[in-house]
Amino acid sequence: MEARRFGWADIVRLGMVQASLGAIVVLMTSTLNRIMVIELTLPALLPGALVALHYLVQVSRPRMGHGSDQGARRTPWIIGGMMVLACGALCATFATTLMQPSPVLGVLLATAGFVMIGLGVGAAGTSLLVLLALRVDGERRAAAATIVWLMMIVGFAVTAGIAGKLLDPYSPTRLLAVTLTVCTFALIITLIALFRLEMDPGDELIEYDDGRDHEPSAIVPFRTALADVWKEDAARQFTVFIFISMLAYSAQDLILEPFAGSVFGFTPGESTSLSGVQHGGVLAGMLLVALVGSRFAKGRAGSLRLWCVGGCLASAAALAGLAVAGHVGPPWPLSANVFLMGAANGAFSIAAIGQMMRLATEGRAEREGVRMGLWGAAQAIAFGFGGLIGTAASDIAHWLISSDGVAYGSVFALEALLFIASAMLAFRIPMTAHHLAQSTGIGQPSFS
């Protein structure tokens, strides 16, 4: 029996889950960060380290993906991950309320909470992407990725806006109540969205884009599954591409606003608005790939790859523009440059997610979760180190170069080189399962 392919309504249902995940995460990485630094007057290093920890924990994504590969369904892993995420959020929030009266206990509980947050995001996010990859037709993948990620952004925005109003005036009790409410609604929405979304237990065959049918394989040790995936040229090359491109993507996050203030004289409000311009560009780039990419993707295995390559090269060009802006100063059209950088980032990131969904179903069967987990871990590590590397490079450049504009410009130039390297890597990734089978010898399913 062939598994049902997902239509637009099913994709929106998974988007609701992603929005719920984003709603909880934004409270932890944004709201708690502000409360620790402003209301509790704690060092900014503390929330920074906790956020980095939740990324570091996500190196467990391949193991979680392997666990979902060994079962017949992905939704239990999504639901389980969301429950762990919600529990971690409540633990981290309670810990925050303890940090003034009991600093040591508060930090220890917060550490445990952010470990749970990382585990929950890894389990739910990996299995959700695998489910999309298995059930969405190739020509819909770019649009599906855009829908799901836009809904996550909506989850960020709605939660931040509503929670911000409910938290005033701030009190520890109010903070706990808001977190509990958000987590409860997120779990309810997740359960409703996933209800009977997957195949019935008796349906054991899934038809992939390459026309192969696969049955659930025997239990395989995780190390064996990971070694199988790492032998695949496409999976290995895509892992390196994800790491380098996401490192370049995240390295400019913490230096763009200081650059605008130092070189262009932007006020704090103006620099914050500049971030809004960048996010608007990201949205435009995502929509461009969804609308144009999906229209021409049918029957073209290289369409998403070209969007990846083009998006990386355009991102490199935009960063090169910022490097020039450091030399030129205020006459440079900074807002337009930042918007174009956002659009290029959005285009390449959505194309990369589409590529991820395609490549996850190629190669040895019953390794989809391991592949997706491997790429998710590479992305999480890159995001964890990206901001640190960007700010460290900025400090070193300012130590070596007296001009602020030239110092910042040199960092943007280095990030542009990372995007050029990413484009080269994206271009070399094999496009088809046939190519993958020839290069690795493991393209056909194995049930041993």
Side-chain angles (χ1 to χ4, degrees):
M1 184 181 296
E2 178 183 330
R4 179 178 63 85
R5 309 301 287 181
F6 282 171
W8 296 116
D10 301 311
I11 293 169
V12 170
R13 289 170 67 180
L14 284 176
M16 292 171 62
V17 178
Q18 191 79 350
S20 301
L21 187 152
I24 298 177
V25 169
V26 75
L27 275 181
M28 299 300 102
T29 59
S30 180
T31 305
L32 288 192
N33 172 42
R34 181 250 153 75
I35 288 173
M36 289 181 193
V37 175
I38 304 301
E39 274 71 23
L40 304 182
T41 64
L42 295 169
L45 178 63
L46 175 59
L50 291 171
V51 172
L53 175 64
H54 111 279
Y55 280 122
L56 180 62
V57 169
Q58 292 181 53
V59 297
S60 61
R61 276 178 178 254
R63 182 63 184 85
M64 295 178 180
H66 175 65
S68 71
D69 285 340
Q70 299 301 297
R73 298 166 68 88
R74 309 286 173 172
T75 47
W77 284 85
I78 301 174
I79 294 171
M82 289 294 294
M83 293 179 68
V84 172
L85 171 60
C87 290
L90 290 170
C91 179
T93 303
F94 180 64
T96 302
T97 66
L98 293 178
M99 283 183 178
Q100 274 192 331
S102 304
V104 175
L105 179 60
V107 171
L108 289 176
L109 276 178
T111 300
F114 272 85
V115 167
M116 294 174 69
I117 290 167
L119 292 174
V121 169
T126 299
S127 294
L128 187 149
L129 275 176
V130 173
L131 191 56
L132 272 175
L134 291 175
R135 297 296 192 88
V136 175
D137 291 327
E139 63 269 20
R140 290 183 173 182
R141 282 176 179 158
T146 300
I147 290 171
V148 169
W149 255 253
L150 287 181
M151 292 186 71
M152 181 176 70
I153 293 171
V154 169
F156 286 163
V158 171
T159 303
I162 295 177
K165 292 180 180 179
L166 294 177
L167 280 171
D168 289 333
Y170 169 76
S171 72
T173 302
R174 189 179 290 267
L175 175 63
L176 279 169
V178 169
T179 302
L180 179 61
T181 301
V182 170
C183 290
T184 300
F185 273 101
L187 288 176
I188 291 173
I189 291 171
T190 296
L191 292 173
I192 293 173
L194 294 177
F195 180 68
R196 301 192 68 178
L197 182 63
E198 260 191 298
M199 62 184 179
D200 294 330
D203 299 339
E204 295 185 351
L205 296 186
I206 297 177
E207 184 177 337
Y208 291 79
D209 286 345
D210 59 5
R212 297 174 293 160
D213 287 339
H214 303 269
E215 297 176 356
S217 60
I219 299 298
V220 176
F222 169 63
R223 289 186 179 182
T224 301
L226 183 62
D228 288 343
V229 169
W230 195 249
K231 290 176 185 176
E232 300 171 1
D233 284 350
R236 188 173 59 253
Q237 291 175 25
F238 195 69
T239 302
V240 178
F241 162 73
I242 286 292
F243 178 78
I244 294 179
S245 62
M246 291 301 171
L247 191 65
Y249 181 93
S250 59
Q252 53 79 29
D253 275 353
L254 297 182
I255 65 172
L256 180 61
E257 290 194 40
F259 165 71
S262 176
V263 179
F264 284 78
F266 278 30
T267 66
E270 289 172 335
S271 64
T272 301
S273 297
L274 187 66
S275 291
V277 170
Q278 182 185 6
H279 293 146
V282 170
L283 175 60
M286 289 180 172
L287 292 175
L288 177 66
V289 176
L291 297 175
V292 180
S294 295
R295 183 177 178 182
F296 296 104
K298 191 170 184 178
R300 298 186 182 183
S303 178
L304 287 174
R305 184 174 73 167
L306 291 177
W307 278 104
C308 279
V309 173
C312 286
L313 291 177
S315 296
L319 283 164
L322 289 180
V324 174
H327 290 268
V328 175
W332 190 263
L334 182 61
S335 294
N337 195 150
V338 169
F339 179 84
L340 290 175
M341 181 179 70
N345 290 168
F348 111 80
S349 59
I350 283 298
I353 293 168
Q355 278 278 71
M356 192 183 297
M357 290 164 61
R358 179 184 67 81
L359 290 172
T361 61
E362 296 185 354
R364 187 184 290 272
E366 301 303 323
R367 301 290 187 272
E368 298 84 11
V370 178
R371 292 187 195 95
M372 198 68 78
L374 183 64
W375 301 328
Q379 176 180 327
I381 294 171
F383 267 90
F385 284 105
L388 177 64
I389 291 173
T391 51
S394 176
D395 288 341
I396 293 171
H398 278 86
W399 181 61
L400 296 173
I401 304 170
S402 58
S403 168
D404 280 348
V406 176
Y408 280 116
S410 64
V411 179
F412 290 133
L414 289 174
E415 293 170 7
L417 291 177
L418 286 177
F419 267 121
I420 292 174
S422 300
M424 295 171 64
L425 287 168
F427 187 76
R428 295 177 57 190
I429 296 170
M431 289 187 297
T432 65
H434 175 68
H435 183 163
L436 197 152
Q438 285 184 324
S439 62
T440 65
I442 57 172
Q444 299 304 315
S446 171
F447 306 112
S448 58

